[in-house]
Each structure stands twice: as C-alpha cells, then as structure tokens.
Amino acid sequence: MDEATWDRVFDTNVKGSFFLMQGLRPLLAPGGAVAFCGSAAGRRAGAGNRRLRDQQVRT
C-alpha cells in the first residue's frame, strides 16, 4: 500500500470517526455512550479487498 492510499484510508476510518464523535458529543445524553463496529474486511489490505470484491461481482 502506498503512502497516499494509507493517508486516504486513515483519514476516512480514523479521522472520520473522531470528528464525527467530536461533533455529536454535545447531543449525547449524560452518561451516554457510542459503540463503533467494524468488519472482518478491515483485516485485509485494500488490494485484497478489491480482489475479493471483483470475485463476488463475477459470481
């Protein structure tokens, strides 16, 4: 994975979540909580996911 791709992935997955919660925090009830959920797809690099997606499209 090249650095530009890594930066795009990091910006989307980490910064996106952080800034979303920063904006929503004033709307949470006292003692409220937020749970972030992920997917097993996050365990593979972008190129692996692309191959998997392409295989699914062909079937």
Side-chain angles (χ1 to χ4, degrees), residues 16-53:
S17 299
F18 175 80
F19 289 121
L20 172 68
M21 286 313 309
Q22 193 174 46
L24 293 177
R25 185 173 180 207
L27 303 175
L28 285 175
V34 174
F36 284 93
C37 299
S39 140
R43 294 176 181 241
R44 300 181 77 184
N49 289 338
R50 183 174 298 134
R51 281 193 301 271
L52 178 62
R53 184 191 68 222

Side-chain angles (χ1 to χ4, degrees), residues 1 5 7 9-11 16 23 25 30-31 35 37 39-40 44 52 54:
M1 180 182 301
T5 301
D7 288 340
V9 170
F10 189 86
D11 287 350
R25 185 173 180 207
C37 299
S39 140
R44 300 181 77 184
L52 178 62
D54 292 345

